[in-house]
Amino acid sequence: AFVLRIRRDFKEDYNILTEMSEALISLCLITLVTLFQSCHAIETTYRIAMIPKAMNNSFFDEVHAGCLDKARKYNKTQSEFHVECDMIDLNHTTEDDIASEKQIEKVKEIIYGTTYYECIAISVNNAETLATWIDEAISDKLSVVTFDSDAPESKRMAFVGTNNTAFGQMLGKVLIQVAPAGGKYSIVTGGSDALNLRGRVEGLRQYLKVEKNYRTQMWEEVDAGEFGCNGSSEGCLQAMHQSMELYPEQKAIIPVGAWPMLDKDDGWLSFVNKYPNVTTIVGDATDKQVELTKTGKNNGLVGQMPYEMGELLVETLINSIHYKKQVENN
């Protein structure tokens, strides 16, 4: 009897040990699966290189803010992949030929592995010169979208930005609403090779030309055509002063981008105080521009949505490269 009791206790202990072992094995398996899933999520990282036209421009800062926030939303709401968004420092503050060369240099660094990114989002300074390198990046299995300013002849996946012809037309519409009496006007623009700025200038001219057929008093552009400034605040303010010196009778100046209003040395205030009877209608609507307009230091703004543009470029890239969706221009 004594021996049988030992055997029964041993069997009960053995069953308990077996159940504990099975539970530990199950726990280990669950832990291993969890670890595997975590490692897998970390491995799938999409690093976006956001390349602006130039530095020290609050428009691109807002685009980057939207890009960062959208990346954070993806990272918090799912575990399939991780997203990062870096704004690449061009170390250059004007939208000129040097800026175009800087953009090409940065794309080359990504292609040849000096800096590591899976995705490129670029606001194109010169569509003709950059298209070749966008195509090279695509051939190297990088995902490329353009934003703000396009390179439509390249093989980029999509363009995220504004209909710039309609943007220019709206500048003309606001001018007529604010100052219906008409007169001479001049245009100030940034880099002449940027397609988005060309579109704005052409849209503005088209709208005012069409409106001229229906109105007895109309706006007419000065003979010199547009004044270029390479997208720097100082350069654009100089262009505005030059325009007024050449055509003191003109009634309006239309910078198609924010540049002159972003001057840090009160150059914009100096201009409007010197020419209080000149109507100014300006492209873009950064916080500083809105504040100046509210205080009566500008007559009208036509803006984009840079923050939303930043969000959308991340969404476009992720939909294409991770979810394999067909993407279109936005």
Side-chain angles (χ1 to χ4, degrees), residues 77-94:
T77 57
Q78 53 75 49
S79 58
E80 296 179 38
F81 54 85
H82 184 80
V83 186
E84 298 174 6
C85 181
D86 297 335
M87 182 155 70
I88 304 302
D89 188 354
L90 296 182
N91 195 28
H92 193 69
T93 57
T94 57

Side-chain angles (χ1 to χ4, degrees), residues 19-204:
E19 290 173 0
M20 289 177 62
S21 298
E22 289 174 351
L24 284 170
I25 291 169
S26 298
L27 179 61
C28 289
L29 287 172
I30 292 169
T31 304
L32 286 170
V33 169
T34 303
L35 287 171
F36 175 79
Q37 288 174 340
S38 299
C39 292
H40 179 70
I42 293 171
E43 288 174 2
T44 310
T45 298
Y46 301 117
R47 300 172 182 86
I48 302 170
M50 195 197 107
I51 305 177
K53 283 185 176 180
M55 308 308 294
N56 296 336
N57 186 322
S58 58
F59 174 85
F60 294 111
D61 293 338
E62 290 184 40
V63 176
H64 186 223
C67 186
L68 284 172
D69 285 350
K70 188 65 175 181
R72 293 188 187 108
K73 288 176 185 176
Y74 274 121
N75 297 339
K76 287 181 179 179
T77 57
Q78 53 75 49
S79 58
E80 296 179 38
F81 54 85
H82 184 80
V83 186
E84 298 174 6
C85 181
D86 297 335
M87 182 155 70
I88 304 302
D89 188 354
L90 296 182
N91 195 28
H92 193 69
T93 57
T94 57
E95 299 170 15
D96 53 14
D97 291 341
I98 296 175
S100 298
E101 293 170 5
K102 294 276 188 181
Q103 287 188 320
I104 291 172
E105 179 184 310
K106 295 302 180 183
V107 173
K108 282 183 177 180
E109 289 177 2
I110 296 170
I111 292 173
Y112 299 132
T114 307
T115 54
Y116 186 73
Y117 292 94
E118 291 82 8
C119 315
I120 298 173
I122 184 166
S123 179
V124 178
N125 270 311
N126 187 317
E128 185 176 350
T129 59
L130 202 59
T132 300
W133 291 103
I134 291 176
D135 293 350
E136 185 74 18
I138 294 291
S139 298
D140 201 50
K141 308 302 181 185
L142 291 164
S143 299
V144 183
V145 297
T146 55
F147 72 97
D148 176 50
S149 184
D150 195 14
E153 301 303 317
S154 71
K155 296 178 182 177
R156 52 83 170 131
M157 295 162 47
F159 169 61
V160 178
T162 303
N163 181 327
N164 286 290
T165 301
F167 188 105
Q169 292 170 347
M170 186 58 68
L171 285 168
K173 184 175 182 179
V174 172
L175 174 62
I176 292 174
Q177 289 174 343
V178 171
K184 293 282 188 179
Y185 76 93
S186 61
I187 299 172
V188 175
T189 185
S192 59
D193 294 319
L195 293 186
N196 65 325
L197 301 182
R198 285 191 212 169
R200 295 182 190 185
V201 171
E202 291 170 4
L204 171 60

